[in-house]
Amino acid sequence: MADSPDRNRSQSSSVLSGSALGFTLFELLVVLAIIGLVLATMPGFLIRDSDRVELESAVRSVAAGLREAQSNALVSNREQVFALDVETRRFRVAPGRPLRQLDPDLEVGFRTARSGLLAPTAGTIRFYPDGSSTGGRIRLARGSLIAAVTVDWLTGEVSIERPAPRDESERLRDG
């Protein structure tokens, strides 16, 4: 039952041969080249996705501010005002509250009731204790994407339109 020395020597030599130990230098270089090509194409995808992420973040921030103003009106039983300045890209949930800054690279459009206009580039959406509002629409764009936050005048409901490719002829200031 004991193995012969010649048999052990032939098994160990096949185990130690170059092909059984690992990869050749050529194989490693090919794999590294493929990884390099994949990583080289990634920045383009990351930049496009970053526009979407930044836009979605801004849309959620504006929607949260509008919902906060609506909740404050319902809870306090008093009218609440959401104010937006399109030029500076800042908004305020209620008078006396801190201003919130949107990304300066965003394009912002705002449509509200005539009574809510404060200036050519600024306006308000009012929320009433009964849940209604003056209504409005805030459109945000970054790169080739556009999204919107809409406030229904009757119910005060805040809804979000997810980012989608925009038509080149589309103009934000028209709301």
Side-chain angles (χ1 to χ4, degrees), residues 14-31:
S14 69
V15 169
L16 297 176
S17 69
S19 63
L21 281 179
F23 301 102
T24 65
L25 180 60
F26 180 73
E27 291 170 328
L28 290 174
L29 289 175
V30 168
V31 169

Side-chain angles (χ1 to χ4, degrees), residues 2 8 19 32 37 46-48 56 73-74 77 81 92 100-101 125 129 134-135 152 164 166:
N8 287 339
S19 63
L32 288 175
L37 287 172
L46 295 175
I47 289 170
R48 280 190 295 244
E56 285 178 351
L74 294 169
N77 203 29
V81 179
R92 185 184 313 260
R100 299 182 191 175
Q101 180 71 50
I125 295 177
T134 56
D152 183 82
R166 67 174 163 173

Side-chain angles (χ1 to χ4, degrees), residues 127-166:
F127 291 93
Y128 301 108
D130 65 358
S132 64
S133 72
T134 56
R137 181 176 172 88
I138 300 167
R139 293 175 58 178
L140 304 166
R142 182 177 172 122
S144 63
L145 298 172
I146 189 166
V149 181
T150 304
V151 179
D152 183 82
W153 67 271
L154 182 61
T155 63
E157 179 184 359
V158 178
S159 59
I160 294 175
E161 292 177 27
R162 298 284 176 208
R166 67 174 163 173

